[in-house]
Amino acid sequence: MSGMSIPLTPHQVVDQYFLEHRAKVLDIAAFLDRFDRAAAAFGGADSATTDDVRVRALCAALDLLRDGQPQRARRVLELWSDHSVDPIPTAHTKGAIGAMPLPDAKR
Amino acid sequence: MYIDPHIHMVSRTTDDYQRMAAAGCVAITEPAFWAGYDRSCAQGFVDYFGQLTDTEPKRAAQFGIKHHTWLCINPKESEDIGLAREVLAEIPKFLDRPSVLGIGEIGLNKNSRNELVVLEEHIALAKSRGLLILVHTPHLEDKMKGTRIILDAIKAHGVDPARVLIDHVEEHTVRMVLDRGFWAGMTLYPDTKCTPQRATDIFEMHGTDRLWINSAADWGISDPLAVPKCREEMRRRGHLEALIHKVSFQNPQTFLSQSPNFRLR
Ligand SMILES: [Zn+2]
C-alpha cells in the first residue's frame, strides 16, 4: 500500500478523537441495554442469546475490535458482508439490512 | 475551491446551491439515480433527463457552479428489464447535450441477474459512444460481492478502467478497485457510508492517487457540504493544503477532463 504521511502522533490522535469515540462506545452500550430492557419487557431473548442477525453481527464485531490485529474497519466490513459470488436470481427488495447472518462458528 | 463530483441536486433546495457556492464549490456532477419511488414508465425518465440536462445547469449557474450530468436507468429500477430497455433506448437522444459526461450511476443494488444484464447493456452503450462511466456499488452487506461482479463485468467488456469511477468504496473495497486500475470515489454519507474521519484514514492508508470524495447528497438525510467538511478534517489533522486540493479538486478535474464536455467555465 502506498499511503501518505501520518501527521498526528499517537498522543495527538487521542487528544483529538477520544471524547468523540468515548461517546460512540456509550451509544453502543446504551443500545444493547435498550435491547435487553425491551427483551425483558416483551419476553424475548436478550442481546447475548438473540437470533437477530444484526445484533449478533454487532456483538461479533465488538469481539473483533479487541483481537489486537490491524485493519479493524476493513475486517468488520468483511465480517458483515455477503461472501457468495453468484448473482441472485431475482431482487425481491431494494434495501439492505447491514449484515449477513454469521456462520455458526462466529456466533 | 472544490468540486463535488457526485450529488443529486434535483432533490436539494436552491439555498443548498447558495451554501455550496459560499463554501467554495465551483463544479458538481449529478448522476441519474432512484428518486425514492419507482417511475411508472420510460417517459418519467425522459422528463428526468430533461431536468438533469436543462433545468439543473441553469439553477447551478445562478451561483457560479458548473453543472454536469450522467445518464442511465439506475440499478434500483433495473429489475424490470423491459422498462430498462425502453429507457436505454431514450438515452442516446440526450448524449449530445453539452453537459453530459457519460453513463451513470450504473451498477448493482441487490446483485441480481437482471440488474447485471442492464448493467452490461449500459457498459456496451458507454463503450460504443466512448463515454466515461460512473458506477454505484451496492449498499452495506451487498457491497463487497457487488463490487467484484461489477469490476469483472467492466473488464470483460474491454473498457479502459482509467475511464471508469467506482463510487461508494469503503475500507473493504477500495484496494480491489485501485489495484485493477479504476478510479475510486468515497462517499461522505451519514450512517451507511464514510465519515470525513474514515475517508481521511483511507487516504492515509491507500494514498491520494485515483481517489476522490463526494457527498452523494440526495433526498435522504445527507449533507451537501460534506466535501468541505472532509477538507476541514484533513486540515485538522495537519495534512498539506496541496493534498487537500488534490483530492477535492485536482483528482475530479483530472478524471472528468477525459470527457470533452467537462468545463469549469
Ligand atoms: Zn448517487
Side-chain angles (χ1 to χ4, degrees):
Chain A
M1 284 179 208
S2 56
M4 58 189 204
S5 67
I6 308 289
L8 299 181
T9 66
H11 191 77
Q12 287 170 323
V13 170
V14 179
D15 280 351
Q16 275 202 23
Y17 295 103
F18 175 70
L19 284 179
E20 175 185 337
H21 297 293
R22 176 186 183 277
K24 288 179 180 176
V25 169
L26 282 171
D27 277 342
I28 295 169
F31 166 72
L32 294 174
D33 289 345
R34 197 177 308 142
F35 182 87
D36 289 347
R37 285 201 314 279
F42 289 91
D46 68 7
S47 56
T49 55
T50 179
D51 280 330
D52 190 289
V53 166
R54 297 159 297 179
V55 175
R56 283 186 168 278
L58 190 87
C59 292
L62 296 176
D63 292 341
L64 185 151
L65 300 188
R66 295 275 297 143
D67 71 4
Q69 300 300 309
Q71 302 271 328
R72 293 173 187 84
R74 174 179 62 75
R75 290 187 296 120
V76 166
L77 286 165
E78 287 172 357
L79 176 72
W80 292 339
S81 290
D82 180 359
H83 287 260
S84 68
V85 293
D86 294 322
I88 62 171
T90 309
H92 294 292
T93 166
K94 291 191 202 301
I97 63 165
M100 293 297 286
L102 296 171
D104 277 342
K106 285 186 176 153
R107 288 183 147 204
Chain B
M1 185 164 72
Y2 74 92
I3 296 170
D4 190 340
H6 185 150
I7 186 164
H8 299 289
M9 293 308 295
V10 298
S11 305
R12 309 296 315 187
T13 57
T14 301
D15 43 315
D16 283 341
Y17 273 120
Q18 191 174 38
R19 293 190 301 141
M20 289 159 63
C25 182
V26 294
I28 57 179
T29 90
E30 175 158 3
F33 84 140
W34 187 53
Y37 65 93
D38 289 349
R39 281 155 277 215
S40 61
C41 60
Q43 188 59 39
F45 288 87
V46 171
D47 292 340
Y48 177 43
F49 297 156
Q51 185 181 17
L52 289 173
T53 55
D54 187 39
T55 312
E56 285 308 319
K58 289 178 190 155
R59 211 157 69 107
Q62 291 177 271
F63 302 94
I65 295 175
K66 192 79 185 152
H67 183 285
H68 298 87
T69 196
W70 310 77
L71 302 177
C72 74
I73 175 167
N74 67 86
K76 280 199 170 91
E77 285 171 285
S78 294
E79 192 59 30
D80 179 348
I81 290 194
L83 173 66
R85 288 190 172 138
E86 285 179 42
V87 177
L88 268 157
E90 297 292 332
I91 291 173
K93 298 172 190 167
F94 291 86
L95 292 178
D96 293 329
R97 296 206 173 177
S99 60
V100 177
L101 301 176
I103 299 299
E105 54 185 304
I106 55 171
L108 298 172
N109 181 52
K110 292 306 294 178
N111 303 324
S112 77
R113 288 179 195 155
N114 283 3
E115 289 171 10
L116 182 56
V117 168
V118 175
L119 166 65
E120 302 215 43
E121 292 183 12
H122 279 100
I123 297 169
L125 172 62
K127 193 181 180 200
S128 71
R129 301 284 296 244
L131 296 165
L132 297 178
I133 295 177
L134 188 119
V135 172
H136 163 95
T137 53
H139 300 283
L140 307 177
E141 69 270 24
D142 299 317
K143 184 182 297 293
M144 189 174 75
K145 171 181 175 177
T147 302
R148 287 201 181 112
I149 296 173
I150 290 165
L151 299 188
D152 287 345
I154 295 170
K155 285 273 171 152
H157 280 262
V159 173
D160 178 2
R163 294 176 59 79
V164 181
L165 185 293
I166 308 291
D167 219 331
H168 317 320
V169 301
E170 293 178 65
E171 288 86 346
H172 58 327
T173 56
V174 62
R175 203 60 255 164
M176 71 168 112
V177 170
L178 294 175
D179 284 348
R180 294 181 71 171
F182 295 90
W183 284 70
M186 291 188 285
T187 296
L188 308 157
Y189 200 93
D191 296 340
T192 55
K193 297 187 175 75
C194 280
T195 56
Q197 292 89 330
R198 281 173 53 215
T200 304
D201 293 333
I202 290 171
F203 283 132
E204 290 176 2
M205 291 187 284
H206 300 281
T208 55
D209 291 342
R210 284 184 286 121
L211 195 50
W212 78 29
I213 46 177
N214 59 67
S215 70
D218 57 12
W219 46 262
I221 296 170
S222 50
D223 184 0
L225 298 180
V227 171
K229 285 176 186 171
C230 189
R231 284 159 55 91
E232 274 310 307
E233 170 65 19
M234 294 179 75
R235 215 166 265 140
R236 190 163 90 106
R237 287 196 200 178
H239 286 299
L240 299 173
E241 283 301 320
L243 271 181
I244 297 169
H245 185 65
K246 180 183 174 188
V247 299
S248 59
F249 183 86
Q250 288 173 329
N251 281 0
Q253 182 188 33
T254 300
F255 176 81
L256 299 167
S257 293
Q258 296 181 92
S259 164
N261 283 352
F262 183 74
R263 288 183 202 90
L264 284 171
R265 288 263 148 247

